[in-house]
Every structure is written in structure tokens, then in C-alpha cells.
Amino acid sequence: MASNNAPIGIFDSGVGGLSVLRELRGLLPSESVLYFADQGHVPYGPRGLEEVRVFSEEITRFLLSLGAKLIVVACNAASAAALRTLRVVFPTISFVGMEPAVKPAAESTHTGVVGILATPTTFQGALYASVVERFGSGVTILQDTCPGLVGLIEKGELDSPGTRKILEKALQPMLERGIDTVVMGCTHYPFVIPLISQIVGPEVRVIDPAPAVARQTARLLDSAGLRNMNPTPGVMRFFTSGVVAEFKAQLPGLLGESGEVQQINWKGNRIGYFGAGSSPSVP
Ligand code: DGL
């Protein structure tokens, strides 16, 4: 049985999940966090459902081995690929996942035309088909995968000419067809909302589901009696399968704070724990 002081586990293919973590941190500052950035495999979007499911299952196992009391799948692609399986494989653990926010978009659109920006894996998944079927009737939904955008955000290019070009290519045709709402269906994309807002203008609503995900996490912790009641801020530990220095350099700008970052190595489809002779320490 997990304790209230145990950390929340959260993962993404890279820095995208930090857009969810910053909301979690605002709402649940006492919670300790283990954040896994699978930058050795980023981007997940073009990889397809099965490969991303395998990664997600192993990362979850890793986070649980470090004592995580709940897992936030802070990645739309991983949620599309793995959420259902994760709930079956780890039936005693609560999971919070991401799904493109078709429901709030469909409820608030006046023109009846909404845009969804997400990666190919997310668009391929049953989760997306299900939200479109349940909430998208009577609404025209325009999709774009913004090829290359995740890679540029990983490099910290939040406002470069290349980033602008990808977003203009995705958004201009949507604007011409009358969108008044655009949904961030990838957790990397909220970091370019300032640029998106410049392109679409003030009349178009931009929906980032991260605050709703943070609220859902709080609800689940409360219903399981697992919320951390300590008055002090929780400790955040980060793990990357990419380059530690690069991930660490991104933290202050994207999250507004920093923390210890450790290297993780994949060996095939298994996570190797910090090289020979060492093992992960429980925070
Ligand atoms: N941030 C992720 C998502 O929400 C994955 C992006 C990627 O690695 O392609 O879908």
C-alpha cells in the first residue's frame, strides 16, 4: 500500500510532460515527483502504437520500482498507445492519461469548426476515435500532425522561424476554414502557445488540457486517500534517457524550477539502472 508521502510518477517522450508538471506543481505543491523524459526515443509521434506501448509499460515499471503511488501519462501518444494496457497490467495503480480535448472544444465552438494539433500516434489510437465519436458530432474537426515540431521544441526553439513555419502551415488552412478553437493534443505544444496565439489571433481559443489533468490527479489522490498533506514543497527528481545536461538546461525555462537529473539507459526494451553496480535509490 503506497503512502501519502510517496512520489507521483510522470512521464513523456521528452520535455512535453513538463507542461503538465507545471500545472501539477501549482495545484499540488507538496507532492514529490519522479519525472521520466524518454529523450532517447523522442519523438514518439511517428513510432506507432505498439512500440510506444512497450516503452510506456517499461517506464511505468521503472517509476513504480522507485515507489510511485500514482502515474500521470503526460503524453497523448503514450496514452493513446498504452493507457488501456497499463490499467490491466498494473490494476492496483491509478493512472491519469491525456486525451485530445475534443469535448470542451465541441462545447465552446461557435463556428462549429475546431482544429486539433497532435502527433500521428495519437490520431491513430482508439482513444482519439472514441472522443471524436462521443463528442465530435455536428462539429467539423480539422487535424494536423505538425511534423518536426516536437523535435524543435525539444531543442528549445519556441519562437524560431522553423517553428513558426510549421505552425503557419498547420494553422493557416484551418483559419481559412473557420476554426475558432484549437486543441493542444500533444503535451509539447503548450510551450508554443504564445506563437500559436500570434498566428491565430485573439478570436481563436487555444485549449491546453494540462490544468484539467492536474485537477483529475488531485481528485484521484483524494479518493484514494493518497494526497500529501505536508506543508513543505515536494522534491522533484528527473530522469532522462537522453542527455542530462540538455534536459537540465531546459528545466528553468519550461518549468520555472530545477531539480536533480539522472541518466537512464535502455538496453533493448528494458531500462538499465544507471550502469554497472548501481541501482536506483528511493527518494
Ligand atoms: N508529448 C507527446 C504527446 O503528448 C509526444 C510527442 C512525441 O514524442 O512525438 O503526444
Side-chain angles (χ1 to χ4, degrees), residues 255-275:
L255 187 61
E257 45 185 323
S258 197
E260 181 197 350
V261 184
Q262 284 174 268
Q263 177 74 50
I264 293 296
N265 298 312
W266 287 91
K267 292 188 180 125
N269 285 331
R270 305 311 296 256
I271 287 173
Y273 295 157
F274 313 117

Side-chain angles (χ1 to χ4, degrees), residues 11-17 19-20 35 38 41-47 52 73-80 98 117-122 145 149-151 154 184-190:
F11 72 92
D12 178 50
S13 61
V15 297
S19 70
V20 177
Y35 183 98
D38 193 10
H41 291 138
V42 71
Y44 275 2
R47 287 182 179 273
V52 175
V73 184
C75 173
N76 289 262
S79 297
M98 316 281 312
L117 306 184
T119 69
T121 299
T122 298
T145 58
L149 184 55
V150 166
E154 284 288 318
M184 302 296 97
C186 168
T187 54
H188 280 74
Y189 299 169

Side-chain angles (χ1 to χ4, degrees), residues 154-208:
E154 284 288 318
K155 283 201 240 159
E157 291 192 27
L158 306 186
D159 194 14
S160 70
T163 303
R164 178 179 284 273
K165 199 166 156 207
I166 292 172
L167 286 169
E168 281 175 350
K169 190 159 176 255
L171 293 164
Q172 289 301 354
M174 292 184 177
L175 289 168
E176 279 157 27
R177 292 186 59 188
I179 56 160
D180 64 355
T181 308
V182 60
V183 171
M184 302 296 97
C186 168
T187 54
H188 280 74
Y189 299 169
F191 292 121
V192 291
I193 286 178
L195 187 50
I196 290 173
S197 298
Q198 275 176 33
I199 295 167
V200 298
E203 304 301 322
V204 173
R205 180 177 174 217
V206 180
I207 299 183
D208 172 10

Side-chain angles (χ1 to χ4, degrees), residues 70-146:
L70 172 149
I71 302 289
V72 179
V73 184
C75 173
N76 289 262
S79 297
L83 199 52
R84 198 183 294 173
T85 309
L86 292 175
R87 289 185 167 131
V88 172
V89 175
F90 306 101
T92 60
I93 302 297
S94 295
F95 288 91
V96 181
M98 316 281 312
E99 62 183 27
V102 173
K103 183 170 188 253
E107 282 168 358
S108 68
T109 179
H110 296 296
T111 59
V113 188
V114 307
I116 316 275
L117 306 184
T119 69
T121 299
T122 298
F123 285 132
Q124 280 159 25
L127 200 56
Y128 178 67
S130 144
V131 287
V132 169
E133 190 186 312
R134 278 181 291 147
F135 309 115
S137 63
V139 176
T140 301
I141 294 175
L142 307 176
Q143 300 173 192
D144 199 284
T145 58
C146 299

